[in-house]
Amino acid sequence: FFYLSLCLMKLALSAVLVFLCVSIQAQIIIDDFSIGANEQSIDFTLPVDVSSGGSPAITQSFFFLTPCSGLLGCERDAEIVIFSGDDGDRFTLELSGGEMEYVAPSGTITTLTLQYDGIDQDFDLDEEGLDSTDITSFNSFVISASLNGAVSARITVYDSDEDTCRVEFSMDDNDDNYVIAFSRLSSGCNMQDVGAIELEISANGGVQFIGNSFRIDNSVIDPDETESTADFPSYTFSPITATFSTFSTFSASSFSPASSPSGYASQSSSDSNNSPSSSSTQLLVGFYVLLSMMCIAF
């Protein structure tokens, strides 16, 4: 009886450990906007008028940190494309206190793109930058943000074969938590082989956008949810009016892009530390099965 009780206690403990391991992997943090705080920023003033239909002005910023947690791929590439604005208009992107604030003045047309494709220090898309991240155990993207104004948003998923899935939706000042079901994504990409993710925010008329987090999660999906409309300006890439790039980099260790950056596995929702790997989960399950066999033997 003593050995049976001991086995049952061990089985219960192992079951709890397995449950906790699975629970910790309940989300993947794409960006909690803590990395790069007071380091990465854009502060750009238009030197000339830019009009719709002409060549846009483009400004970029890149920031990486290795090792990292809370930033998928350990690098955030940011690009602001200005389609319409007047000489002297100022556009800013700042990170502070776990928030990212983007401000475009009224009367302008802009698109902010956040690109997550691993460490490359440029805006050329690397479809293999996230080392075939598997997101099929989740069901949604979640954006926590507050706005002063309204924007069109787009999420694009790239697999390592250069196939894409995307979804477009609207955001405004009536909500601060946007759940975007995977079922709304266009078909065509392999969600078991994700190599890059982009989030685009397009504003027609100016906006103040404050982002708190961008993550992949298992969410309660509203069955009545319908796809909202979104309006994105387009352009042929020939920014002859004004093109500016800013580079902000800080690394806790030496930069070695040839090797895979650590720290961008599934993140815990409680403290954003790295979650246990799948091998750890398999070890716990194996331990659980072994104890079961021991109990049967007794």
Side-chain angles (χ1 to χ4, degrees):
F1 178 78
F2 172 76
Y3 289 111
L4 178 60
S5 299
L6 181 61
C7 281
L8 290 175
M9 290 176 62
K10 290 182 177 179
L11 284 172
L13 178 59
S14 298
V16 169
L17 290 174
V18 171
F19 173 78
L20 289 175
C21 188
V22 172
S23 298
I24 288 174
Q25 298 184 50
Q27 64 178 209
I28 296 176
I29 301 296
I30 299 176
D31 201 340
D32 64 10
F33 301 114
S34 62
I35 291 181
N38 304 314
E39 295 281 346
Q40 183 180 20
S41 65
I42 293 175
D43 189 345
F44 173 65
T45 301
L46 271 180
V48 294
D49 293 345
V50 175
S51 60
S52 298
S55 296
I58 298 176
T59 180
Q60 300 174 333
S61 176
F62 316 105
F63 189 92
F64 76 91
L65 179 69
T66 57
C68 75
S69 63
L71 180 60
L72 186 63
C74 293
E75 177 170 317
R76 179 192 307 109
D77 302 330
E79 177 185 77
I80 301 173
V81 180
I82 304 161
F83 298 93
S84 180
D86 296 330
D87 177 11
D89 283 341
R90 183 184 179 194
F91 305 82
T92 61
L93 180 74
E94 296 181 351
L95 287 100
S96 178
E99 294 182 342
M100 180 200 71
E101 182 183 41
Y102 168 57
V103 177
S106 61
T108 62
I109 301 175
T110 63
T111 295
L112 165 68
T113 301
L114 300 177
Q115 184 183 86
Y116 305 92
D117 64 342
I119 297 177
D120 56 8
Q121 287 290 277
D122 61 44
F123 219 82
D124 295 332
L125 187 70
D126 181 0
E127 292 89 351
E128 300 179 349
L130 299 182
D131 290 341
S132 299
T133 297
D134 185 351
I135 63 174
T136 54
S137 59
F138 307 93
N139 71 354
S140 58
F141 292 101
V142 180
I143 301 172
S144 296
S146 58
L147 290 83
N148 182 6
V151 299
S152 296
R154 176 163 55 203
I155 297 172
T156 305
V157 178
Y158 302 85
D159 67 25
S160 61
D161 291 327
E162 303 183 11
D163 297 318
T164 62
C165 299
R166 61 171 47 92
V167 58
E168 297 180 353
F169 52 98
S170 299
M171 303 175 69
D172 55 34
D173 52 11
N174 294 321
D175 201 355
D176 58 7
N177 200 61
Y178 299 85
V179 177
I180 311 301
F182 284 175
S183 59
R184 292 176 56 184
L185 286 163
S186 61
S187 60
C189 69
N190 184 354
M191 304 283 271
Q192 291 181 307
D193 186 26
V194 175
I197 297 173
E198 288 184 337
L199 171 62
E200 298 169 80
I201 303 295
S202 182
N204 188 337
V207 71
Q208 179 188 33
F209 178 96
I210 299 177
N212 301 108
S213 69
F214 178 31
R215 63 189 185 274
I216 299 169
D217 213 334
N218 280 308
S219 307
V220 177
I221 306 299
D222 183 354
D224 297 324
E225 181 184 36
T226 58
E227 187 158 346
S228 55
T229 59
D231 181 25
F232 275 83
S234 60
Y235 67 98
T236 301
F237 190 82
S238 56
I240 59 174
T241 303
T243 303
F244 296 86
S245 297
T246 58
F247 299 86
S248 288
T249 60
F250 172 80
S251 177
S253 61
S254 59
F255 176 41
S256 54
S259 60
S260 299
S262 61
Y264 68 86
S266 301
Q267 305 296 321
S268 166
S269 59
S270 59
D271 59 7
S272 296
N273 290 326
N274 293 338
S275 299
S277 64
S278 58
S279 60
S280 299
T281 304
Q282 293 170 358
L283 180 62
L284 286 173
V285 173
F287 180 62
Y288 182 78
V289 173
L290 178 62
L291 284 174
S292 299
M293 296 174 63
M294 292 173 60
C295 286
I296 293 173
F298 281 111

PDB file of all heavy atoms in Angstrom, residues 251-288:
ATOM      1  N   SER A 251      23.772  45.306 -28.292  1.00  0.00           N
ATOM      2  CA  SER A 251      23.816  43.854 -28.125  1.00  0.00           C
ATOM      3  C   SER A 251      24.554  43.503 -26.849  1.00  0.00           C
ATOM      4  O   SER A 251      25.593  44.081 -26.539  1.00  0.00           O
ATOM      5  CB  SER A 251      24.516  43.199 -29.320  1.00  0.00           C
ATOM      6  OG  SER A 251      24.609  41.808 -29.129  1.00  0.00           O
ATOM      7  N   ALA A 252      23.983  42.548 -26.120  1.00  0.00           N
ATOM      8  CA  ALA A 252      24.633  42.079 -24.908  1.00  0.00           C
ATOM      9  C   ALA A 252      25.764  41.106 -25.226  1.00  0.00           C
ATOM     10  O   ALA A 252      26.553  40.770 -24.379  1.00  0.00           O
ATOM     11  CB  ALA A 252      23.615  41.401 -23.997  1.00  0.00           C
ATOM     12  N   SER A 253      25.808  40.640 -26.460  1.00  0.00           N
ATOM     13  CA  SER A 253      26.886  39.764 -26.900  1.00  0.00           C
ATOM     14  C   SER A 253      27.237  40.127 -28.327  1.00  0.00           C
ATOM     15  O   SER A 253      26.577  40.936 -28.958  1.00  0.00           O
ATOM     16  CB  SER A 253      26.448  38.300 -26.807  1.00  0.00           C
ATOM     17  OG  SER A 253      25.325  38.068 -27.634  1.00  0.00           O
ATOM     18  N   SER A 254      28.315  39.526 -28.828  1.00  0.00           N
ATOM     19  CA  SER A 254      28.767  39.885 -30.160  1.00  0.00           C
ATOM     20  C   SER A 254      27.741  39.499 -31.218  1.00  0.00           C
ATOM     21  O   SER A 254      27.015  38.522 -31.063  1.00  0.00           O
ATOM     22  CB  SER A 254      30.099  39.192 -30.456  1.00  0.00           C
ATOM     23  OG  SER A 254      29.945  37.796 -30.366  1.00  0.00           O
ATOM     24  N   PHE A 255      27.662  40.259 -32.292  1.00  0.00           N
ATOM     25  CA  PHE A 255      26.713  40.030 -33.386  1.00  0.00           C
ATOM     26  C   PHE A 255      27.267  38.978 -34.323  1.00  0.00           C
ATOM     27  O   PHE A 255      28.338  39.142 -34.882  1.00  0.00           O
ATOM     28  CB  PHE A 255      26.481  41.353 -34.127  1.00  0.00           C
ATOM     29  CG  PHE A 255      25.599  41.210 -35.342  1.00  0.00           C
ATOM     30  CD1 PHE A 255      24.472  40.406 -35.301  1.00  0.00           C
ATOM     31  CD2 PHE A 255      25.897  41.904 -36.507  1.00  0.00           C
ATOM     32  CE1 PHE A 255      23.650  40.296 -36.407  1.00  0.00           C
ATOM     33  CE2 PHE A 255      25.075  41.788 -37.623  1.00  0.00           C
ATOM     34  CZ  PHE A 255      23.960  40.976 -37.568  1.00  0.00           C
ATOM     35  N   SER A 256      26.520  37.864 -34.447  1.00  0.00           N
ATOM     36  CA  SER A 256      26.958  36.789 -35.328  1.00  0.00           C
ATOM     37  C   SER A 256      25.756  36.274 -36.101  1.00  0.00           C
ATOM     38  O   SER A 256      25.148  35.283 -35.731  1.00  0.00           O
ATOM     39  CB  SER A 256      27.587  35.652 -34.518  1.00  0.00           C
ATOM     40  OG  SER A 256      26.713  35.221 -33.507  1.00  0.00           O
ATOM     41  N   PRO A 257      25.356  36.977 -37.170  1.00  0.00           N
ATOM     42  CA  PRO A 257      24.139  36.615 -37.895  1.00  0.00           C
ATOM     43  C   PRO A 257      24.197  35.255 -38.557  1.00  0.00           C
ATOM     44  O   PRO A 257      23.171  34.721 -38.945  1.00  0.00           O
ATOM     45  CB  PRO A 257      24.024  37.727 -38.947  1.00  0.00           C
ATOM     46  CG  PRO A 257      25.415  38.253 -39.117  1.00  0.00           C
ATOM     47  CD  PRO A 257      26.046  38.119 -37.765  1.00  0.00           C
ATOM     48  N   ALA A 258      25.385  34.681 -38.718  1.00  0.00           N
ATOM     49  CA  ALA A 258      25.467  33.378 -39.370  1.00  0.00           C
ATOM     50  C   ALA A 258      24.868  32.289 -38.504  1.00  0.00           C
ATOM     51  O   ALA A 258      24.416  31.269 -38.989  1.00  0.00           O
ATOM     52  CB  ALA A 258      26.919  33.047 -39.678  1.00  0.00           C
ATOM     53  N   SER A 259      24.847  32.499 -37.169  1.00  0.00           N
ATOM     54  CA  SER A 259      24.263  31.510 -36.280  1.00  0.00           C
ATOM     55  C   SER A 259      22.871  31.929 -35.875  1.00  0.00           C
ATOM     56  O   SER A 259      22.532  33.103 -35.921  1.00  0.00           O
ATOM     57  CB  SER A 259      25.131  31.343 -35.022  1.00  0.00           C
ATOM     58  OG  SER A 259      25.225  32.576 -34.342  1.00  0.00           O
ATOM     59  N   SER A 260      22.045  30.976 -35.462  1.00  0.00           N
ATOM     60  CA  SER A 260      20.664  31.275 -35.092  1.00  0.00           C
ATOM     61  C   SER A 260      20.648  31.991 -33.752  1.00  0.00           C
ATOM     62  O   SER A 260      21.232  31.520 -32.779  1.00  0.00           O
ATOM     63  CB  SER A 260      19.851  29.983 -34.988  1.00  0.00           C
ATOM     64  OG  SER A 260      19.837  29.331 -36.231  1.00  0.00           O
ATOM     65  N   PRO A 261      19.970  33.136 -33.643  1.00  0.00           N
ATOM     66  CA  PRO A 261      19.880  33.852 -32.372  1.00  0.00           C
ATOM     67  C   PRO A 261      19.047  33.058 -31.383  1.00  0.00           C
ATOM     68  O   PRO A 261      18.080  32.418 -31.751  1.00  0.00           O
ATOM     69  CB  PRO A 261      19.183  35.165 -32.757  1.00  0.00           C
ATOM     70  CG  PRO A 261      18.426  34.833 -33.992  1.00  0.00           C
ATOM     71  CD  PRO A 261      19.238  33.808 -34.713  1.00  0.00           C
ATOM     72  N   SER A 262      19.472  33.127 -30.113  1.00  0.00           N
ATOM     73  CA  SER A 262      18.720  32.422 -29.085  1.00  0.00           C
ATOM     74  C   SER A 262      17.646  33.325 -28.506  1.00  0.00           C
ATOM     75  O   SER A 262      17.667  34.529 -28.663  1.00  0.00           O
ATOM     76  CB  SER A 262      19.679  31.997 -27.968  1.00  0.00           C
ATOM     77  OG  SER A 262      20.287  33.139 -27.384  1.00  0.00           O
ATOM     78  N   GLY A 263      16.683  32.690 -27.832  1.00  0.00           N
ATOM     79  CA  GLY A 263      15.730  33.481 -27.061  1.00  0.00           C
ATOM     80  C   GLY A 263      14.448  33.814 -27.757  1.00  0.00           C
ATOM     81  O   GLY A 263      13.724  34.659 -27.281  1.00  0.00           O
ATOM     82  N   TYR A 264      14.108  33.177 -28.900  1.00  0.00           N
ATOM     83  CA  TYR A 264      12.839  33.539 -29.501  1.00  0.00           C
ATOM     84  C   TYR A 264      11.907  32.340 -29.630  1.00  0.00           C
ATOM     85  O   TYR A 264      11.067  32.283 -30.497  1.00  0.00           O
ATOM     86  CB  TYR A 264      13.013  34.255 -30.845  1.00  0.00           C
ATOM     87  CG  TYR A 264      13.561  33.441 -31.987  1.00  0.00           C
ATOM     88  CD1 TYR A 264      12.721  32.685 -32.791  1.00  0.00           C
ATOM     89  CD2 TYR A 264      14.908  33.471 -32.282  1.00  0.00           C
ATOM     90  CE1 TYR A 264      13.219  31.970 -33.846  1.00  0.00           C
ATOM     91  CE2 TYR A 264      15.413  32.750 -33.344  1.00  0.00           C
ATOM     92  CZ  TYR A 264      14.563  32.009 -34.128  1.00  0.00           C
ATOM     93  OH  TYR A 264      15.053  31.309 -35.181  1.00  0.00           O
ATOM     94  N   ALA A 265      12.024  31.421 -28.681  1.00  0.00           N
ATOM     95  CA  ALA A 265      11.043  30.346 -28.605  1.00  0.00           C
ATOM     96  C   ALA A 265       9.788  30.892 -27.940  1.00  0.00           C
ATOM     97  O   ALA A 265       9.699  32.083 -27.635  1.00  0.00           O
ATOM     98  CB  ALA A 265      11.614  29.183 -27.813  1.00  0.00           C
ATOM     99  N   SER A 266       8.813  30.023 -27.685  1.00  0.00           N
ATOM    100  CA  SER A 266       7.569  30.452 -27.066  1.00  0.00           C
ATOM    101  C   SER A 266       7.866  31.157 -25.751  1.00  0.00           C
ATOM    102  O   SER A 266       8.711  30.721 -24.968  1.00  0.00           O
ATOM    103  CB  SER A 266       6.664  29.247 -26.816  1.00  0.00           C
ATOM    104  OG  SER A 266       6.389  28.590 -28.028  1.00  0.00           O
ATOM    105  N   GLN A 267       7.119  32.235 -25.492  1.00  0.00           N
ATOM    106  CA  GLN A 267       7.360  33.033 -24.304  1.00  0.00           C
ATOM    107  C   GLN A 267       6.257  32.836 -23.281  1.00  0.00           C
ATOM    108  O   GLN A 267       5.101  32.633 -23.621  1.00  0.00           O
ATOM    109  CB  GLN A 267       7.437  34.523 -24.686  1.00  0.00           C
ATOM    110  CG  GLN A 267       8.460  34.830 -25.755  1.00  0.00           C
ATOM    111  CD  GLN A 267       9.858  34.543 -25.300  1.00  0.00           C
ATOM    112  OE1 GLN A 267      10.194  34.799 -24.158  1.00  0.00           O
ATOM    113  NE2 GLN A 267      10.680  34.029 -26.170  1.00  0.00           N
ATOM    114  N   SER A 268       6.624  32.935 -22.003  1.00  0.00           N
ATOM    115  CA  SER A 268       5.639  32.816 -20.939  1.00  0.00           C
ATOM    116  C   SER A 268       4.846  34.099 -20.812  1.00  0.00           C
ATOM    117  O   SER A 268       5.380  35.195 -20.901  1.00  0.00           O
ATOM    118  CB  SER A 268       6.357  32.518 -19.615  1.00  0.00           C
ATOM    119  OG  SER A 268       5.493  32.710 -18.521  1.00  0.00           O
ATOM    120  N   SER A 269       3.541  33.988 -20.554  1.00  0.00           N
ATOM    121  CA  SER A 269       2.706  35.179 -20.425  1.00  0.00           C
ATOM    122  C   SER A 269       2.947  35.889 -19.107  1.00  0.00           C
ATOM    123  O   SER A 269       2.580  37.036 -18.934  1.00  0.00           O
ATOM    124  CB  SER A 269       1.222  34.788 -20.520  1.00  0.00           C
ATOM    125  OG  SER A 269       0.892  33.864 -19.495  1.00  0.00           O
ATOM    126  N   SER A 270       3.580  35.215 -18.137  1.00  0.00           N
ATOM    127  CA  SER A 270       3.749  35.823 -16.832  1.00  0.00           C
ATOM    128  C   SER A 270       4.982  36.697 -16.748  1.00  0.00           C
ATOM    129  O   SER A 270       4.941  37.794 -16.215  1.00  0.00           O
ATOM    130  CB  SER A 270       3.823  34.733 -15.754  1.00  0.00           C
ATOM    131  OG  SER A 270       4.901  33.852 -16.021  1.00  0.00           O
ATOM    132  N   ASP A 271       6.116  36.207 -17.297  1.00  0.00           N
ATOM    133  CA  ASP A 271       7.335  36.983 -17.140  1.00  0.00           C
ATOM    134  C   ASP A 271       8.155  37.077 -18.418  1.00  0.00           C
ATOM    135  O   ASP A 271       9.269  37.579 -18.379  1.00  0.00           O
ATOM    136  CB  ASP A 271       8.191  36.381 -16.009  1.00  0.00           C
ATOM    137  CG  ASP A 271       8.577  34.928 -16.285  1.00  0.00           C
ATOM    138  OD1 ASP A 271       8.290  34.435 -17.394  1.00  0.00           O
ATOM    139  OD2 ASP A 271       9.170  34.314 -15.380  1.00  0.00           O
ATOM    140  N   SER A 272       7.637  36.565 -19.536  1.00  0.00           N
ATOM    141  CA  SER A 272       8.297  36.655 -20.843  1.00  0.00           C
ATOM    142  C   SER A 272       9.637  35.946 -20.891  1.00  0.00           C
ATOM    143  O   SER A 272      10.446  36.208 -21.757  1.00  0.00           O
ATOM    144  CB  SER A 272       8.477  38.132 -21.262  1.00  0.00           C
ATOM    145  OG  SER A 272       7.238  38.732 -21.436  1.00  0.00           O
ATOM    146  N   ASN A 273       9.903  35.022 -19.940  1.00  0.00           N
ATOM    147  CA  ASN A 273      11.113  34.230 -20.039  1.00  0.00           C
ATOM    148  C   ASN A 273      10.907  33.138 -21.066  1.00  0.00           C
ATOM    149  O   ASN A 273       9.786  32.802 -21.431  1.00  0.00           O
ATOM    150  CB  ASN A 273      11.449  33.594 -18.680  1.00  0.00           C
ATOM    151  CG  ASN A 273      11.905  34.622 -17.669  1.00  0.00           C
ATOM    152  OD1 ASN A 273      12.560  35.594 -18.036  1.00  0.00           O
ATOM    153  ND2 ASN A 273      11.549  34.427 -16.401  1.00  0.00           N
ATOM    154  N   ASN A 274      12.019  32.515 -21.511  1.00  0.00           N
ATOM    155  CA  ASN A 274      11.896  31.464 -22.500  1.00  0.00           C
ATOM    156  C   ASN A 274      11.123  30.294 -21.926  1.00  0.00           C
ATOM    157  O   ASN A 274      11.347  29.866 -20.807  1.00  0.00           O
ATOM    158  CB  ASN A 274      13.285  30.988 -22.938  1.00  0.00           C
ATOM    159  CG  ASN A 274      14.007  32.070 -23.697  1.00  0.00           C
ATOM    160  OD1 ASN A 274      13.389  32.969 -24.233  1.00  0.00           O
ATOM    161  ND2 ASN A 274      15.326  31.977 -23.738  1.00  0.00           N
ATOM    162  N   SER A 275      10.185  29.754 -22.707  1.00  0.00           N
ATOM    163  CA  SER A 275       9.389  28.623 -22.263  1.00  0.00           C
ATOM    164  C   SER A 275      10.187  27.345 -22.403  1.00  0.00           C
ATOM    165  O   SER A 275      11.151  27.275 -23.164  1.00  0.00           O
ATOM    166  CB  SER A 275       8.123  28.530 -23.110  1.00  0.00           C
ATOM    167  OG  SER A 275       7.354  29.682 -22.955  1.00  0.00           O
ATOM    168  N   PRO A 276       9.797  26.279 -21.663  1.00  0.00           N
ATOM    169  CA  PRO A 276      10.475  24.996 -21.838  1.00  0.00           C
ATOM    170  C   PRO A 276      10.361  24.525 -23.266  1.00  0.00           C
ATOM    171  O   PRO A 276       9.363  24.739 -23.925  1.00  0.00           O
ATOM    172  CB  PRO A 276       9.698  24.069 -20.882  1.00  0.00           C
ATOM    173  CG  PRO A 276       9.076  24.971 -19.885  1.00  0.00           C
ATOM    174  CD  PRO A 276       8.779  26.238 -20.629  1.00  0.00           C
ATOM    175  N   SER A 277      11.383  23.868 -23.747  1.00  0.00           N
ATOM    176  CA  SER A 277      11.369  23.373 -25.117  1.00  0.00           C
ATOM    177  C   SER A 277      10.503  22.144 -25.223  1.00  0.00           C
ATOM    178  O   SER A 277      10.110  21.536 -24.237  1.00  0.00           O
ATOM    179  CB  SER A 277      12.800  23.050 -25.572  1.00  0.00           C
ATOM    180  OG  SER A 277      13.299  21.993 -24.785  1.00  0.00           O
ATOM    181  N   SER A 278      10.206  21.751 -26.470  1.00  0.00           N
ATOM    182  CA  SER A 278       9.402  20.558 -26.686  1.00  0.00           C
ATOM    183  C   SER A 278      10.104  19.316 -26.152  1.00  0.00           C
ATOM    184  O   SER A 278       9.457  18.369 -25.709  1.00  0.00           O
ATOM    185  CB  SER A 278       9.104  20.392 -28.179  1.00  0.00           C
ATOM    186  OG  SER A 278      10.304  20.303 -28.912  1.00  0.00           O
ATOM    187  N   SER A 279      11.446  19.323 -26.173  1.00  0.00           N
ATOM    188  CA  SER A 279      12.179  18.168 -25.641  1.00  0.00           C
ATOM    189  C   SER A 279      11.954  18.022 -24.145  1.00  0.00           C
ATOM    190  O   SER A 279      11.886  16.909 -23.623  1.00  0.00           O
ATOM    191  CB  SER A 279      13.674  18.303 -25.945  1.00  0.00           C
ATOM    192  OG  SER A 279      14.204  19.466 -25.364  1.00  0.00           O
ATOM    193  N   SER A 280      11.825  19.140 -23.420  1.00  0.00           N
ATOM    194  CA  SER A 280      11.542  19.097 -21.992  1.00  0.00           C
ATOM    195  C   SER A 280      10.173  18.488 -21.749  1.00  0.00           C
ATOM    196  O   SER A 280       9.979  17.695 -20.828  1.00  0.00           O
ATOM    197  CB  SER A 280      11.603  20.506 -21.395  1.00  0.00           C
ATOM    198  OG  SER A 280      12.884  21.043 -21.553  1.00  0.00           O
ATOM    199  N   THR A 281       9.215  18.892 -22.570  1.00  0.00           N
ATOM    200  CA  THR A 281       7.871  18.343 -22.440  1.00  0.00           C
ATOM    201  C   THR A 281       7.882  16.843 -22.683  1.00  0.00           C
ATOM    202  O   THR A 281       7.260  16.065 -21.951  1.00  0.00           O
ATOM    203  CB  THR A 281       6.932  19.020 -23.457  1.00  0.00           C
ATOM    204  OG1 THR A 281       6.970  20.432 -23.252  1.00  0.00           O
ATOM    205  CG2 THR A 281       5.504  18.528 -23.291  1.00  0.00           C
ATOM    206  N   GLN A 282       8.613  16.397 -23.709  1.00  0.00           N
ATOM    207  CA  GLN A 282       8.693  14.979 -24.011  1.00  0.00           C
ATOM    208  C   GLN A 282       9.344  14.217 -22.857  1.00  0.00           C
ATOM    209  O   GLN A 282       8.956  13.092 -22.539  1.00  0.00           O
ATOM    210  CB  GLN A 282       9.478  14.766 -25.297  1.00  0.00           C
ATOM    211  CG  GLN A 282       8.764  15.315 -26.536  1.00  0.00           C
ATOM    212  CD  GLN A 282       9.655  15.316 -27.758  1.00  0.00           C
ATOM    213  OE1 GLN A 282      10.816  14.945 -27.676  1.00  0.00           O
ATOM    214  NE2 GLN A 282       9.113  15.737 -28.887  1.00  0.00           N
ATOM    215  N   LEU A 283      10.338  14.829 -22.208  1.00  0.00           N
ATOM    216  CA  LEU A 283      11.005  14.187 -21.084  1.00  0.00           C
ATOM    217  C   LEU A 283      10.037  13.983 -19.937  1.00  0.00           C
ATOM    218  O   LEU A 283      10.002  12.923 -19.303  1.00  0.00           O
ATOM    219  CB  LEU A 283      12.202  15.030 -20.644  1.00  0.00           C
ATOM    220  CG  LEU A 283      13.027  14.477 -19.462  1.00  0.00           C
ATOM    221  CD1 LEU A 283      13.623  13.125 -19.858  1.00  0.00           C
ATOM    222  CD2 LEU A 283      14.128  15.453 -19.085  1.00  0.00           C
ATOM    223  N   LEU A 284       9.229  15.002 -19.652  1.00  0.00           N
ATOM    224  CA  LEU A 284       8.253  14.893 -18.578  1.00  0.00           C
ATOM    225  C   LEU A 284       7.217  13.826 -18.876  1.00  0.00           C
ATOM    226  O   LEU A 284       6.820  13.055 -18.003  1.00  0.00           O
ATOM    227  CB  LEU A 284       7.572  16.252 -18.360  1.00  0.00           C
ATOM    228  CG  LEU A 284       8.412  17.325 -17.662  1.00  0.00           C
ATOM    229  CD1 LEU A 284       7.680  18.654 -17.675  1.00  0.00           C
ATOM    230  CD2 LEU A 284       8.711  16.922 -16.228  1.00  0.00           C
ATOM    231  N   VAL A 285       6.741  13.794 -20.112  1.00  0.00           N
ATOM    232  CA  VAL A 285       5.760  12.782 -20.493  1.00  0.00           C
ATOM    233  C   VAL A 285       6.360  11.386 -20.354  1.00  0.00           C
ATOM    234  O   VAL A 285       5.724  10.447 -19.859  1.00  0.00           O
ATOM    235  CB  VAL A 285       5.268  13.020 -21.934  1.00  0.00           C
ATOM    236  CG1 VAL A 285       4.384  11.864 -22.387  1.00  0.00           C
ATOM    237  CG2 VAL A 285       4.502  14.333 -22.021  1.00  0.00           C
ATOM    238  N   GLY A 286       7.626  11.231 -20.808  1.00  0.00           N
ATOM    239  CA  GLY A 286       8.294   9.944 -20.678  1.00  0.00           C
ATOM    240  C   GLY A 286       8.434   9.518 -19.228  1.00  0.00           C
ATOM    241  O   GLY A 286       8.239   8.347 -18.871  1.00  0.00           O
ATOM    242  N   PHE A 287       8.753  10.484 -18.357  1.00  0.00           N
ATOM    243  CA  PHE A 287       8.868  10.215 -16.933  1.00  0.00           C
ATOM    244  C   PHE A 287       7.532   9.762 -16.361  1.00  0.00           C
ATOM    245  O   PHE A 287       7.446   8.846 -15.557  1.00  0.00           O
ATOM    246  CB  PHE A 287       9.371  11.478 -16.224  1.00  0.00           C
ATOM    247  CG  PHE A 287       9.525  11.317 -14.729  1.00  0.00           C
ATOM    248  CD1 PHE A 287      10.420  10.384 -14.202  1.00  0.00           C
ATOM    249  CD2 PHE A 287       8.783  12.092 -13.853  1.00  0.00           C
ATOM    250  CE1 PHE A 287      10.563  10.243 -12.837  1.00  0.00           C
ATOM    251  CE2 PHE A 287       8.923  11.947 -12.490  1.00  0.00           C
ATOM    252  CZ  PHE A 287       9.816  11.021 -11.967  1.00  0.00           C
ATOM    253  N   TYR A 288       6.476  10.397 -16.818  1.00  0.00           N
ATOM    254  CA  TYR A 288       5.124  10.062 -16.374  1.00  0.00           C
ATOM    255  C   TYR A 288       4.775   8.625 -16.770  1.00  0.00           C
ATOM    256  O   TYR A 288       4.247   7.843 -15.977  1.00  0.00           O
ATOM    257  CB  TYR A 288       4.140  11.048 -16.996  1.00  0.00           C
ATOM    258  CG  TYR A 288       2.694  10.853 -16.575  1.00  0.00           C
ATOM    259  CD1 TYR A 288       2.246  11.307 -15.340  1.00  0.00           C
ATOM    260  CD2 TYR A 288       1.795  10.219 -17.421  1.00  0.00           C
ATOM    261  CE1 TYR A 288       0.939  11.135 -14.959  1.00  0.00           C
ATOM    262  CE2 TYR A 288       0.480  10.040 -17.042  1.00  0.00           C
ATOM    263  CZ  TYR A 288       0.048  10.504 -15.805  1.00  0.00           C
ATOM    264  OH  TYR A 288      -1.248  10.329 -15.441  1.00  0.00           O
TER     265      TYR A 288
END
